[in-house]
């Protein structure tokens, strides 16, 4: 937040310190601006000491810090310094942001450069602004997501029951059992990390204090709160009736519920946005002492109360009535042909919002009542198809070389491991049409699954989910599986879902609207223009790839030779 009284001061300080050429990075504490400079000798120290904003200078030679004492209002001074001089709030990254005329009355030599850069990369339209925000939120966690997916894929291979109970590698071979236990520790913490990281990146994207994002994420995933997947209502019970909560308004009145936000990424995004606006609001408090006291309480405390009293109940009511609806729709002889395929088609968007966790109690309730559930099969179809949609997108844009590495690994994670977040947030949601194609494919596959009365037990929701299909429908349902059994029709439903998804991804990707959006996003992400790449002939493109490989090999050999040369000198 820019403070007008510091605009001239931060410009002067920037110039006195030597500008971009001399400033490595900077931070602040309770009273001081702490600069890491390349050359202290060029600093105009006399001018800084004579300024109205600085009460002194301290040189920390050991810590390599050039400290300027500002006072208790240093946080506002720091924010203004970043905004005016084009730094991100990390105090290191140089960004390009034009300052509006209402906030400033100056013109510096860097403004024209900033304006030109901003105009060149200007995001147009509300939709693209939203997508740009999503990109800022999820880009920092793309590679951790890839690692998460690959680790969970390996864990799934070791723990899947190949031919009944205790038939997994982990159950039959001691080494694999222990190794799977190690992987389980790694993978179980990733979901928690991603939830907290999303809160952090939202604060950073909104140019607020990221540490508050971490605190809010940690508080809302605390052990004292209960995950939706851990609530197991018995037959005749509702989720609302059994979910633990507080009884602030008297015994017997459970409100609010103790909902753990672990894995609920979209609700966490909205909560973090609310928290960021709380910080923006509290930053307007003029009294520095009051701001330092009220700010943290409002940002953390009020945001937590907003999450527990508003966001959590909305999610809980959604889950409760979804459970009631799904249980009725799953057994109605007519409605199930419409509702369940639609649920399958909507599963991908539910994963994006984090509300797919609301299906876990429903699956457990169905399994407790009938021994199997049809919804498990829908989850399997959706997860596999998300990976297929990502790979189809890579095929469609196969000349973007960097995309192959990212897209294929994320697609395989979804297909083999059932981990769709990397595919969803790096490709399918970002480019939109792969997500739509996946929903169409899953709808078609779900029709086959529902019509053939193919049920599955709870377990792997990946390609190994094929093993979860049951040969016959449970007797209590009164349904009869088509001739050939659940394995045959489960396999056919997977093939239908995947083939329709792949085809529709290619078809939708040719539509001008999606094609143009994809071009803009790939240009922004990888600095490669698919229109230009498509214009290159196959022969020329092969030569281009060959030259690229040769140059990389030459660079590798050069680095190796330099290392060997340095060793020989030593």
């Amino acid at each position: 937040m820019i403070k007008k009284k510091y605009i001239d001061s931060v410009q002067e300080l920037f110039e006195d310190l030597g500008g971009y050429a001399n400033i490595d990075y900077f931070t602040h504490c309770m009273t001081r601006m702490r600069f890491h400079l390349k050359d202290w000798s060029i600093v105009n120290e006399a001018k800084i000491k004579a300024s109205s904003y600085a009460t002194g200078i301290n040189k920390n030679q050991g810590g390599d810090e050039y400290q300027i004492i500002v006072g208790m209002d240093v946080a506002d001074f720091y924010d203004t310094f970043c905004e005016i001089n084009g730094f991100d709030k990390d105090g290191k990254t140089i960004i390009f942001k034009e300052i509006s005329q209402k906030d400033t009355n100056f013109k510096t030599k860097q403004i024209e450069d900033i304006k030109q850069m901003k105009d060149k990369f200007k995001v147009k339209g509300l939709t693209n602004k939203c997508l740009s925000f999503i990109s800022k939120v999820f880009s920092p966690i793309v590679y951790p997501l890839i690692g998460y997916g690959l680790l969970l894929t390996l864990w799934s291979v070791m723990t899947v029951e190949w031919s009944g109970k205790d038939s997994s590698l982990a159950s039959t071979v001691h080494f694999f059992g222990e190794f799977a236990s190690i992987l389980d520790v790694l993978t179980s913490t990733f979901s928690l990390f991603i939830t907290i990281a999303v809160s952090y990146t939202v604060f950073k994207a909104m140019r607020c204090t990221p540490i508050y994002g971490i605190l809010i994420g940690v508080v809302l995933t605390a052990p004292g709160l209960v995950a939706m997947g851990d609530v197991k209502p018995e037959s005749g019970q509702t989720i609302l009736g059994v979910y633990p909560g507080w009884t602030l308004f008297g015994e017997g009145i459970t409100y609010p519920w103790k909902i753990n936000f672990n894995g609920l990424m979209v609700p966490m995004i909205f909560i973090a946005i609310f928290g960021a606006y709380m910080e923006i609001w509290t930053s307007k408090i003029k009294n520095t002492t009051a701001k330092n006291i009220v700010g943290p309480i409002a940002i953390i405390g009020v945001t937590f109360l907003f999450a527990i009293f508003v966001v959590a109940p909305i999610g809980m009511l959604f889950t409760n009535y979804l459970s009631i609806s799904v249980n009725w729709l799953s057994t109605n002889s007519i409605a199930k042909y419409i509702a369940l395929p639609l649920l399958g088609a909507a599963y991908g968007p539910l994963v994006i919002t984090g509300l797919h966790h609301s299906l876990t109690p429903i699956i457990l309730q169905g399994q407790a009542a009938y021994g199997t559930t049809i919804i498990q099969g829908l989850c399997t179809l959706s997860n596999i198809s998300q990976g297929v949609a990502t790979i189809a997108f890579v095929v469609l844009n196969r000349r973007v070389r960097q995309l192959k590495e990212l897209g294929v690994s994320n697609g395989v994670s979804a297909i083999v491991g059932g981990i769709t977040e990397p595919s969803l947030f790096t490709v399918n949601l970002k480019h939109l049409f792969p997500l739509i194609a996946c929903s169409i494919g899953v709808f078609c596959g779900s029709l086959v699954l529902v019509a053939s009365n193919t049920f599955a037990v709870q377990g792997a929701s990946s390609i190994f989910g094929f093993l979860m299909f049951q040969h016959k429908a449970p007797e209590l349902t009164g349904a009869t599986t088509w001739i050939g059994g659940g394995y045959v029709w489960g396999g056919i439903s997977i093939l239908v879902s995947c083939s329709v998804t792949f085809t529709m991804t290619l078809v939708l990707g040719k539509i001008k609207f999606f094609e143009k959006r994809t071009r803009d996003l790939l240009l922004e992400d990888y600095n490669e223009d698919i229109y230009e790449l498509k214009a290159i002939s196959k022969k020329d493109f092969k030569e281009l790839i060959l030259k690229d490989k040769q140059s990389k090999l030459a660079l590798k050999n050069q680095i190796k030779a330099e290392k060997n040369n340095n060793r020989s000198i030593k």
Side-chain angles (χ1 to χ4, degrees):
M1 181 69 66
I2 292 177
K3 293 292 184 181
K4 290 183 179 180
K5 64 180 180 179
Y6 291 134
I7 288 175
D8 292 334
S9 300
V10 298
Q11 287 180 85
E12 291 170 8
L13 178 59
F14 177 79
E15 295 294 339
D16 293 339
L17 290 172
Y20 296 122
N22 198 39
I23 299 173
D24 266 344
Y25 64 95
F26 55 93
T27 58
H28 75 86
C29 59
M30 291 295 290
T31 59
R32 303 179 184 190
M33 292 284 288
R34 297 171 177 262
F35 289 92
H36 290 257
L37 306 175
K38 295 173 183 175
D39 184 0
W40 289 16
S41 65
I42 67 172
V43 175
N44 192 340
E45 198 168 292
K47 190 176 177 184
I48 294 173
K49 285 181 177 179
S51 67
S52 59
Y53 60 84
T55 58
I57 292 174
N58 183 53
K59 300 176 185 178
N60 184 351
Q61 299 282 355
D64 192 31
E65 284 187 343
Y66 194 95
Q67 301 173 0
I68 297 170
I69 304 168
V70 175
M72 290 298 291
D73 212 19
V74 68
D76 289 335
F77 189 92
Y78 178 90
D79 288 346
T80 307
F81 189 95
C82 291
E83 290 274 356
I84 295 301
N85 295 306
F87 286 95
D88 199 355
K89 286 201 71 171
D90 61 6
K92 186 175 183 179
T93 308
I94 298 173
I95 60 173
F96 298 95
K97 188 175 189 296
E98 183 182 3
I99 310 302
S100 64
Q101 286 299 318
K102 68 177 183 179
D103 287 331
T104 184
N105 59 359
F106 71 94
K107 286 187 177 181
T108 62
K109 60 181 179 293
Q110 68 258 42
I111 285 296
E112 286 305 315
D113 293 336
I114 292 171
K115 186 178 185 302
Q116 289 174 12
M117 189 63 70
K118 185 177 178 182
D119 289 341
K120 184 178 179 181
F121 295 103
K122 189 176 181 180
V123 179
K124 298 176 182 178
L126 179 62
T127 303
N128 280 339
K129 285 184 179 179
C130 292
L131 290 171
S132 177
F133 176 75
I134 291 170
S135 178
K136 287 179 183 177
V137 169
F138 288 105
S139 291
I141 59 174
V142 165
Y143 289 104
L145 278 172
I146 294 171
Y148 171 48
L150 294 175
L151 285 172
L152 202 51
T153 298
L154 186 58
W155 178 85
S156 298
V157 172
M158 292 183 181
T159 57
V160 68
E161 305 288 354
W162 299 94
S163 57
K165 190 177 180 182
D166 296 329
S167 62
S168 66
L169 280 172
S171 300
T172 55
V173 182
H174 176 75
F175 172 80
F176 288 119
E178 293 299 300
F179 192 61
S181 178
I182 293 171
L183 290 176
D184 186 46
V185 173
L186 287 171
T187 55
S188 61
T189 55
F190 259 102
S191 176
L192 179 64
F193 157 74
I194 291 166
T195 308
I196 296 172
V198 160
S199 182
Y200 165 84
T201 55
V202 166
F203 268 76
K204 191 171 182 180
M206 295 184 69
R207 305 197 69 200
C208 293
T209 309
I211 195 69
Y212 283 125
I214 294 175
L215 281 168
I216 290 167
V218 170
V219 167
L220 291 174
T221 55
L225 302 175
V226 182
M228 285 186 179
D230 294 335
V231 178
K232 301 176 181 179
E234 297 177 1
S235 181
Q237 291 182 322
T238 64
I239 297 169
L240 282 176
V242 299
Y243 213 106
W246 287 280
T247 55
L248 290 173
F249 306 102
E251 291 295 331
I253 304 174
T254 304
Y255 180 81
W257 295 282
K258 298 179 179 180
I259 295 178
N260 192 306
F261 282 79
N262 187 358
L264 305 180
M265 282 197 281
V266 169
M268 182 60 80
I269 288 172
F270 283 112
I271 292 165
I273 290 171
F274 179 88
Y277 275 113
M278 286 301 300
E279 182 180 353
I280 292 169
W281 177 74
T282 56
S283 70
K284 295 178 181 178
I285 299 174
K286 292 183 178 180
N287 186 286
T288 304
T289 303
K291 181 170 64 176
N292 290 340
I293 295 171
V294 174
I297 295 172
I299 295 165
I300 300 170
V302 175
T303 302
F304 176 77
L305 294 175
F306 170 74
I308 293 298
F309 278 90
V310 179
V311 178
I314 291 172
M316 177 56 66
L317 290 169
F318 174 85
T319 300
N320 183 68
Y321 291 110
L322 179 65
S323 173
I324 295 169
S325 302
V326 169
N327 286 333
W328 179 80
L329 293 169
S330 299
T331 54
N332 185 277
S333 58
I334 297 173
K336 69 179 184 179
Y337 292 105
I338 302 169
L340 290 181
L342 285 175
L343 179 62
Y347 187 77
L350 285 175
V351 172
I352 294 167
T353 62
L355 290 173
H356 65 299
H357 292 290
S358 63
L359 293 177
T360 302
I362 301 170
I363 292 171
L364 291 171
Q365 189 169 315
Q367 188 148 317
Y370 304 112
T372 62
T373 173
I374 205 166
I375 299 173
Q376 178 62 40
L378 305 181
C379 300
T380 298
L381 293 183
S382 180
N383 288 352
I384 296 172
S385 296
Q386 290 294 348
V388 170
T390 300
I391 291 173
F393 179 83
V394 172
V395 171
L396 188 64
N397 301 284
R398 54 191 174 276
R399 291 197 169 185
V400 182
R401 286 158 289 176
Q402 289 175 285
L403 180 64
K404 287 183 181 180
E405 300 172 9
L406 181 70
V408 172
S409 62
N410 288 349
V412 170
S413 292
I415 295 169
V416 180
I419 310 304
T420 57
E421 283 86 351
S423 285
L424 279 166
F425 293 116
T426 60
V427 174
N428 296 2
L429 172 63
K430 191 171 187 178
H431 296 275
L432 198 59
F433 69 88
L435 182 63
I436 297 171
C438 179
S439 293
I440 295 170
V442 175
F443 182 88
C444 296
S446 299
L447 278 175
V448 176
L449 199 73
V450 172
S452 61
N453 292 312
T454 301
F455 286 73
V457 296
Q458 188 187 25
S461 297
S462 61
I463 194 66
F464 298 114
F466 173 78
L467 303 172
M468 303 299 110
F469 289 122
Q470 299 297 291
H471 184 64
K472 294 181 180 180
E475 292 182 7
L476 291 174
T477 63
T480 303
T481 305
W482 286 357
I483 296 172
Y487 288 112
V488 171
W489 290 104
I492 291 172
S493 66
I494 291 174
L495 289 174
V496 169
S497 181
C498 291
S499 58
V500 173
T501 296
F502 192 92
T503 303
M504 288 306 300
T505 303
L506 299 181
V507 170
L508 292 175
K510 297 291 184 182
I511 296 175
K512 285 186 177 180
F513 172 76
F514 290 125
E515 189 177 46
K516 187 179 182 303
R517 281 191 70 256
T518 297
R519 180 210 181 196
D520 294 340
L521 290 170
L522 292 178
L523 187 61
E524 182 180 343
D525 289 343
Y526 304 110
N527 199 29
E528 292 196 66
D529 190 331
I530 56 173
Y531 288 177
E532 291 179 2
L533 292 174
K534 287 176 182 178
I536 302 171
S537 66
K538 287 185 179 181
K539 183 181 177 181
D540 291 341
F541 189 72
K542 285 181 180 179
E543 288 179 2
L544 190 66
I545 292 174
L546 184 61
K547 286 179 181 178
D548 187 46
K549 286 181 179 178
Q550 288 173 345
S551 62
K552 285 181 180 178
L553 183 62
L555 182 61
K556 187 178 179 181
N557 291 335
Q558 183 184 345
I559 293 170
K560 189 175 180 180
E562 287 176 358
K563 284 183 179 179
N564 292 334
N565 187 39
N566 290 336
R567 285 174 187 169
S568 63
I569 292 171
K570 289 179 181 179

